[in-house]
Amino acid sequence: MLVNGHHYRTVWMEQSTVHMIEQNLLPFTFSVAEFPSCAASCAAICNMTVRGAGAIGAAAGYAMAQGFLEEDDPNIARTMICATRPTAQNLFYAVNRVWQAGITGGKEAAVAEAEAVANDDAEASRRIGQFGAELINDGNNILTHCNAGWLAFVDYGTALSPIYLAHEAGKQIHVWVDETRPRGQGARLTAWELTQAGIDCSIIADNASAHFMAQGKVDMVIVGADRIAANGDSANKIGTLEKAICANYFGIPFYIAAPTATIDAACSDGTAIPIEERSADEVLWQQGVDEQGAAHTIRVAAPQARARNPAFDVTPAKLIRGIITEHGIIAPSIAGSTATQKQ
Ligand code: MRU
């Protein structure tokens, strides 16, 4: 995607160093951080320098390649990468691909496979955009949650990819952008991406979407996914389940956009999907900048209050109208068989 006229991917590798757009500083500062070792790349996945299922997957694939290049036991590297974040299936998919390539073909093969994982992610996102754009009509109001744009993948994104292509085709679109507390991926990242692309959007508080649905101001909901079970149950950013329930109540189509790399055929249903629980501090404290651009962290909750912070929830397949994949729009019920055939 273009940033200030320069084409960027979210994550890439040069020699043995992984480069990532520093997402914790966006939208206030655009910078690229460098991670010269597998351990450093793992730390960047943990602290969410890179986040979003596809981008995490590509970063994990590169980290696995670094593990082979470092000539320590690559199995130690694999264990370290797999312990970074538990929910996004793309991470495990990428690590397995690079691991297999490295074990059979050595370090060069591992690096080539990591590159292939990243390229496949970008291409899948582009194709998801083509299929999804056909669902979008001129004048549509589309609601999205969290960030499933190009920052969450290597390029294009999933939920936002159809929106980008529909916009490029000349359709007038307006996007309702959920803030997505506690980390604000919607308000910070999705709103920044859409604004950069010249797409009309409004940030709304997470609890405002049912209000706009009730007023007939939401034509469809498109979100991403971090892991899709074989029966189509889909884990995505916390709060997605509420959107799906509300959309179904009001008869609004609710779509998941995700590559087949996000489908975990070994998970029979959503109850088997591991849900990451993050630090309570993300709920109790917020970060932002003042009018001079200086960064601040402030407490926004009652002193001494405790908090819980599940990072994802699971939307049951029956609430999902379709899954927009790189192979077309599929019924949630065939997610597992599609992954088995196509991965
Ligand atoms: O915790 P994050 O920011 O990595 O979570 C990202 C999401 O939940 C996105 O909606 C998602 O990954 C789906 S699109 C990659």
Side-chain angles (χ1 to χ4, degrees):
M1 276 290 163
L2 287 178
V3 181
N4 302 325
H6 188 284
H7 180 263
Y8 284 93
R9 284 186 162 195
T10 306
V11 54
W12 67 97
M13 190 155 93
E14 291 176 16
Q15 309 301 331
S16 60
T17 297
V18 180
H19 297 240
M20 301 179 195
I21 293 174
E22 173 44 281
Q23 299 198 35
N24 284 318
L25 299 181
L26 284 172
F28 310 113
T29 301
F30 181 85
S31 67
V32 174
E34 297 183 11
F35 302 93
S37 67
C38 176
S41 297
C42 286
I45 296 171
C46 287
N47 72 22
M48 293 177 68
T49 293
V50 66
R51 36 69 48 202
I56 291 172
Y62 287 133
M64 190 66 254
Q66 287 177 312
F68 279 99
L69 291 171
E70 287 163 13
E71 293 183 17
D72 294 330
D73 180 357
N75 206 22
I76 296 173
R78 181 167 72 152
T79 303
M80 181 166 56
I81 301 163
C82 291
T84 53
R85 295 194 70 190
T87 304
Q89 169 64 8
N90 305 59
L91 183 151
F92 303 95
Y93 168 85
V95 167
N96 286 340
R97 271 183 63 172
V98 178
W99 172 260
Q100 290 301 334
I103 286 299
T104 51
K107 58 181 80 166
E108 284 81 15
V111 172
E113 191 64 16
E115 204 54 45
V117 167
N119 290 338
D120 289 352
D121 181 86
E123 176 59 13
S125 292
R126 192 183 67 76
R127 290 170 63 178
I128 285 168
Q130 289 175 333
F131 287 115
E134 292 172 18
L135 298 169
I136 298 174
N137 294 319
D138 194 36
N140 273 175
N141 284 287
I142 302 166
L143 185 131
T144 192
H145 190 68
C146 193
N147 172 263
W150 67 271
L151 287 164
F153 288 84
V154 174
D155 208 347
Y156 298 99
T158 54
L160 298 193
S161 186
I163 293 171
Y164 289 136
L165 293 193
H167 173 76
E168 280 170 28
K171 293 176 187 170
Q172 297 295 316
I173 304 161
H174 170 260
V175 183
W176 297 111
V177 179
D178 287 340
E179 280 182 298
T180 319
R181 296 289 178 113
R183 291 187 65 97
Q185 289 96 329
R188 298 168 77 111
L189 304 178
T190 298
W192 180 76
E193 275 196 34
L194 293 172
T195 306
Q196 290 268 317
I199 297 173
D200 188 24
C201 64
S202 307
I203 299 168
I204 56 173
D206 287 326
N207 41 12
S209 51
H211 169 76
F212 289 111
M213 289 181 188
Q215 291 189 339
K217 292 180 176 164
V218 179
D219 297 300
M220 75 177 71
V221 180
I222 312 180
V223 298
D226 289 80
R227 192 183 296 225
I228 300 172
N231 73 342
D233 291 352
S234 298
N236 192 51
K237 181 54 55 190
I238 191 76
T240 301
L241 173 58
E242 282 180 14
K243 311 302 158 193
I245 293 168
C246 291
N248 274 257
Y249 179 82
F250 290 110
I252 297 166
F254 178 95
Y255 289 98
I256 294 280
T260 49
T262 303
I263 302 171
D264 181 1
C267 267
S268 57
D269 63 44
T271 59
I273 298 177
I275 299 296
E276 179 181 15
E277 175 102 19
R278 294 186 59 85
S279 166
D281 283 351
E282 292 183 350
V283 175
L284 300 171
W285 300 80
Q286 292 284 295
Q287 293 165 334
V289 299
D290 63 23
E291 286 178 8
Q292 283 70 45
H296 298 280
T297 300
I298 57 167
R299 188 171 176 102
V300 293
Q304 288 146 25
R306 290 189 298 153
R308 289 285 306 272
N309 188 15
F312 302 96
D313 56 28
V314 177
T315 297
K318 66 183 174 195
L319 300 182
I320 300 167
R321 176 74 60 92
I323 302 176
I324 310 168
T325 76
E326 73 273 31
H327 301 293
I329 302 171
I330 63 167
S333 57
I334 64 162
S337 55
T338 303
T340 307
Q341 287 164 21
K342 305 287 188 185
Q343 275 180 2

